[in-house]
Amino acid sequence: MTQPVRVDVLSEDKAMVIFQPSGSRGEVPKGISVIEASRLLGVDIETLCGEEKVCGKCVVRIEEGQFEKYGIQSSLSHVSPWQEEEEKFITPEYREKGCRLGCVARVEGDILVFVPEASRAGKQIVSKAARDIFIEHNPAIKLYYVEVDPPSFEDPTGDFERVCRGIERDYGLNNLTIDIFALRQLPGALRDGKWTVTVSVWNGREVIRVRPGKQEHNYGLAIDVGTTTVAAYFCDLTTMDVVDTVSMMNPQCKYGEDVMSRITYHMNNPDGLQRMSDDIIEGINELVDKAIGNTFPPKKKKKKGAEGPDKYVEDPGEGKTYLRLAREDIEDVTIGFNTAMHHIFLALDPKHVGRAPFPPVIHHSLDIKARDLGIKINPSSYMFVLPIEAGFVGADNVGVLIAEEPYKQEENQLIIDIGTNGELVLGNRHKLISSSCATGPALEGAQIACGMRAAPGAIERIEIDPETREVDYKVIGRDAWRKFSKPEEMKARGICGSGILDLLAELYRAGVVDKSGAFNKKALEGHARFRINPATNQPEFVLAWCEDSSIDKDIVVTQKDIRQIQLAKGALYAGCKLMVKRMGLDRVDKVKIAGAFGTHVDRTKALTMGLFPDCEIEMIESVGNAAGDGCRAALLNIEKRKEANWCSRNVEYIELTIEESFQKEFVEALQLPHMTDKFPHLKGIVPDDILNQ
Amino acid sequence: MTQPVRVDVLSEDKAMVIFQPSGSRGEVPKGISVIEASRLLGVDIETLCGEEKVCGKCVVRIEEGQFEKYGIQSSLSHVSPWQEEEEKFITPEYREKGCRLGCVARVEGDILVFVPEASRAGKQIVSKAARDIFIEHNPAIKLYYVEVDPPSFEDPTGDFERVCRGIERDYGLNNLTIDIFALRQLPGALRDGKWTVTVSVWNGREVIRVRPGKQEHNYGLAIDVGTTTVAAYFCDLTTMDVVDTVSMMNPQCKYGEDVMSRITYHMNNPDGLQRMSDDIIEGINELVDKAIGNTFPPKKKKKKGAEGPDKYVEDPGEGKTYLRLAREDIEDVTIGFNTAMHHIFLALDPKHVGRAPFPPVIHHSLDIKARDLGIKINPSSYMFVLPIEAGFVGADNVGVLIAEEPYKQEENQLIIDIGTNGELVLGNRHKLISSSCATGPALEGAQIACGMRAAPGAIERIEIDPETREVDYKVIGRDAWRKFSKPEEMKARGICGSGILDLLAELYRAGVVDKSGAFNKKALEGHARFRINPATNQPEFVLAWCEDSSIDKDIVVTQKDIRQIQLAKGALYAGCKLMVKRMGLDRVDKVKIAGAFGTHVDRTKALTMGLFPDCEIEMIESVGNAAGDGCRAALLNIEKRKEANWCSRNVEYIELTIEESFQKEFVEALQLPHMTDKFPHLKGIVPDDILNQ
């Protein structure tokens, strides 16, 4: 961090860039944007729009006159000239201070860049615990222990055929093949194990690992790659135990918050696809290391003298035994994602998935050697990539399906997976249809003025007093609500998905906005929190004052934000309604909400706001990380993989936007609250005067 | 070559080594042998024994007092001290000059090394033309052209399923999978081809390539890796034409001339296996580049406006069109080798193949993605590695079998593949047995005093006048015999395999040696060409005088050499005889000799010398590179691959050395000439006085 900068060795085509407060520094080619420089130097800056110059999230400050202490000359002239697009996001006052959009300003000489708190991509802690779901034990990788005779002049049969003969004799399994990497282990393992080995067989046909002696455990990972977060269940394939749950932020977030931004990034950068693919693969490798890096108490103590693959080591400090595993102990991986992320991970051109009629490159599941993707687990292992339903209904949705199994029920279930796109499945054992609706990322906190991911400092709960219209709120990372805290304790940075639904309900309940979503200007006149933003000429409502925030400005909701949220819930509602209609139903028997949004959402408020159609409130169920559970089911039971492929081709995909009545339904659904007239028990929640507007 | 040596940057652990006359130079770690240094710097020095200090082929001269002109100090003290083993090969006079064994002397400081002509590993030109054999057209890779409808909202099916639907509709082929690298080509190819593509399908089940539009050609290589040479047939998989034949020296020769030396090299060097494997893989990549680098006139001119995968380019000089191919146009490879080379290529531990009872790691053929081995052809392609019969009867012999098909004949055939080991197969459609006999490398010119590979300067034909016992000979690379040349025109360097059989027959015919192989000392007394070598106290006979040679010494045959040749032919004869006996036969119907030795061998002399048992001379047939033909058959007809696996497990391997009568037969077979009493028509060849000794 504090090494002297060797200005003398800089070539003419390169410039030194130092990012503060992280201190990251290095030479970069001249001419690249500050955002590109930040990537090269490992600095995370928010870029919700994929560098389309439209989100304004990537404001940075180019420091002037402070460079001398680092031994280099610098000035504002070391970046490319100011551009019109920046005016929308940076006031003249901030421009004066050296603020620029990171995606616009290009490095033209040595610069020191300060990244304000508001522009830093949050390093979020994500934790997705495994739910208890029933899975039959039938993993793709099974262990076979065999004892064979050593070769002799009478029987000089080769090692592999010798072992195969033993496996056929003891287990009736024949016609095995063997991966070349596993074959390399065979002669040593056979002799180390004194002519006994344990072989790991994939899918009843390919040997992918050979270990000496008798081995009783092997491991696998079920990975659920979300647009924002990546979570993996680390499972013992023999006992089915979830040994650990590990997760991380999706490292691709730096290329854009939503999948369309990333597709755009690919289309604008020749190496964009490769870079994004490399990043998620590197991320998954980190996840693998995290999983195996965690030591944990073994289920049972290792028997004295037992030969075994597992490396129990004595912890001299505590006298306990711990199980330590290596990358090669991970013998199987299942992985699911939405279609765009699936394509980017596999380096398949995602362009067509982003264009009507949105055909994916492939639907069917793939068994790919992990080594072919650069995933560092056992070198002979396969990854099972869950199949895709459609361009906007991905493998993650297939995961949800095989976890929830609506195709085995008589009752009609509506399963909603809310992310940047809402993915919808409706039906029962007789028929299943799926669709997606372009909710936009508003429900995830993106593309709204103060939206952010569910990271520390994000407002996740809001209450607005209907009398005073004063706001109380709480942020992630602090248990106490605002009214029990000092302003400087809040450190609010923005508002996240679960806060947004609260916000809409509260704005409406408190009469800040009316049924159409417009600010109730008459009622708000003279209110301290309501104002017209002089820069945008847009009305906005202050949720948290500057003194409460760590980003040095008021956190507000604008009229445009409210429209975004309305569009999201309208799209979701209209989508659900059209699907119900298409199935010839009046209402559904059960609504299941998958994903993090489902876990945190207030069911009553969701119904009030009209997120989905008519349903008894008690029939609404949050099913947590069902996509991840589906990946886990596929990891532990090979039949679930067949089921997944069956789902991907037998769930009928319906493109809602081309339905005749979509537009009408959608516009109707923009209204708030949508359903209260049909739900008398909700009446108390919304004041009558508002409800009867 | 002539850049100044930067002595100042040498670290203390490194030394500068310069090899002359090649001029190769570089830093090497101190403490390694001169041979190891030569490998690091890409200089080929003969090491027939695998650095076991027993062949004496790697004599080099450490130059003293000539180093100043290169800017560095050097002296004999810059190499490790003289060792006892060197005395056997280096006379005091040569020791005085600075000669050392390259495998003994270690680099301890900067040195200049002169590599004498005799120690340089010859760069041999190998050419193996393809024979006309009948092969049914049924390649593993087949092309399917399909036209599909573009996706629509009514049918947004993904690209791969869309193409599969077309293939099933047009060709009835279903359940296809696709390699991830091919999948990446699919969306682009489909759109470039305006919804028409040609897919390459492997084994009726996996798509390994997708090209836009209609394509009618694809290519493959059939590679035969010999211990010494590597040859490949470059074939059009559609027309079955052999487009080209390319060959090269096996780059592993530098680790030892025979497979046992290479196994020893592996056992003595932790990274030896990897290095040898890397070298042959690099060699095969060079062969691939050679194959595609050759441009050649196309079979037919490209039609105007025809869309196609083949790149015909106009040659402005001649106005002809040529077909130019890329690595990715090679879609299939078959490869065969002996068991040790097979193991080394695949980086499978070859240790056990070299130890009784010689079990291989695997018998069965392998389908391995070329990319997993680092072979740079189409990234999705497989290599088909031919199966192994036994530790000493490898995939090359399987190649011979599927080319010659003795299992389809009623007549009993004896197929002999003479290399460092003789590989023998005997039988007919009812039963086949195989064996190997340790002929040693004498018949290939190795491990005898002046033996060498079939390279320019090698004596390949000899005649000895029975009266004067004067020698006439011819060398590879010069058409004129010695007696029609000036001495300095011969540039003889040694004697190669085909010369050796001639030599033995001529020595015997001219009475230089007797029936037991001993020099006929009485008759030779006072003959200028006969002498006792003062260094070894061994009798020797001069074939070419120093003035004829380019290695500055007489080329001789020693008593020990004659013993080596006798051992080789004795082992081969005894092996054949025991096999005939084991099959309950008196004599065989046909003898087929495979390999280069078979092509050049004089059938009459071979029978005279007793290389193999009773057979009518006209029933002896040379079948050329049958191993390579077998690889080609497997490339062009997938059924041949099944046949190969059938052979590898249904030819009964017999270990001859453990047969009771082996020793007796072997000793008897050492005598020369063995069979002439049974072959009256041979009587004229051997003078009666000798024959009746």
Side-chain angles (χ1 to χ4, degrees), chain A residues 150-162 187 191 195, chain B residues 259-260 263 338-340 343 349-363 388-394 421 435-438 649 653-658:
Chain A
S152 63
F153 277 122
E154 291 67 42
D155 175 21
T157 304
D159 295 346
F160 180 61
E161 280 73 13
R162 186 170 295 275
R191 286 152 184 94
W195 305 97
Chain B
V259 296
M260 283 310 295
I263 294 176
N338 66 46
T339 307
H343 281 41
D349 189 347
K351 190 168 56 194
H352 312 293
V353 165
R355 284 180 186 161
F358 318 109
V361 175
I362 187 168
H363 293 279
I388 296 292
E389 282 170 58
F392 280 105
V393 188
N421 281 286
S435 190
S436 70
C437 46
R649 303 314 294 137
Y653 179 76
I654 292 168
E655 183 58 45
L656 293 175
T657 53
I658 58 170

Side-chain angles (χ1 to χ4, degrees), chain A residues 158 184 346 363-364 371-372, chain B residues 158 161 184 346 363 371-372:
Chain A
R184 287 173 187 152
L346 296 172
H363 293 280
H364 203 275
R371 62 178 181 248
D372 284 334
Chain B
E161 281 72 15
R184 289 177 185 149
L346 296 172
H363 293 279
R371 63 177 181 248
D372 284 334

Side-chain angles (χ1 to χ4, degrees), chain A residues 382-549:
Chain A
Y382 286 90
M383 292 186 90
F384 176 82
V385 179
L386 269 78
I388 296 291
E389 283 170 57
F392 280 106
V393 188
D396 46 0
N397 197 253
V398 173
V400 171
L401 286 175
I402 62 171
E404 296 306 319
E405 303 181 335
Y407 44 81
K408 291 186 180 170
Q409 309 297 327
E410 196 59 51
E411 65 179 9
N412 271 293
Q413 298 188 359
L414 173 64
I415 305 177
I416 303 175
D417 196 353
I418 299 175
T420 304
N421 282 287
E423 294 175 359
L424 308 172
V425 177
L426 173 64
N428 61 6
R429 55 191 293 268
H430 303 294
K431 184 177 183 179
L432 278 173
I433 60 175
S434 74
S435 188
S436 70
C437 45
T439 52
L443 295 178
E444 288 188 313
Q447 282 184 19
I448 61 174
C450 294
M452 65 177 286
R453 288 195 292 259
I459 296 173
E460 57 168 350
R461 282 279 174 270
I462 291 181
E463 278 185 10
I464 303 178
D465 186 320
E467 299 296 317
T468 64
R469 283 160 185 144
E470 271 309 303
V471 181
D472 196 11
Y473 68 93
K474 85 172 277 306
V475 295
I476 293 177
R478 180 172 175 79
D479 290 336
W481 284 65
R482 169 68 181 85
K483 65 181 167 192
F484 303 112
S485 311
K486 290 178 197 157
E488 64 271 23
E489 287 173 336
M490 297 311 289
K491 296 192 175 61
R493 288 180 54 206
I495 182 164
C496 68
S498 55
I500 278 164
L501 195 76
D502 250 38
L503 170 62
L504 192 64
E506 288 295 310
L507 286 173
Y508 180 60
R509 193 175 70 97
V512 177
V513 299
D514 64 20
K515 206 176 171 69
S516 76
F519 278 118
N520 204 336
K521 288 182 187 164
K522 217 163 71 186
L524 289 167
E525 208 176 322
H527 196 284
R529 289 181 180 263
F530 183 72
R531 67 194 183 196
I532 305 293
N533 185 316
T536 61
N537 207 29
Q538 277 268 322
E540 63 186 28
F541 186 80
V542 178
L543 303 176
W545 295 106
C546 181
E547 57 184 9
D548 294 18
S549 91

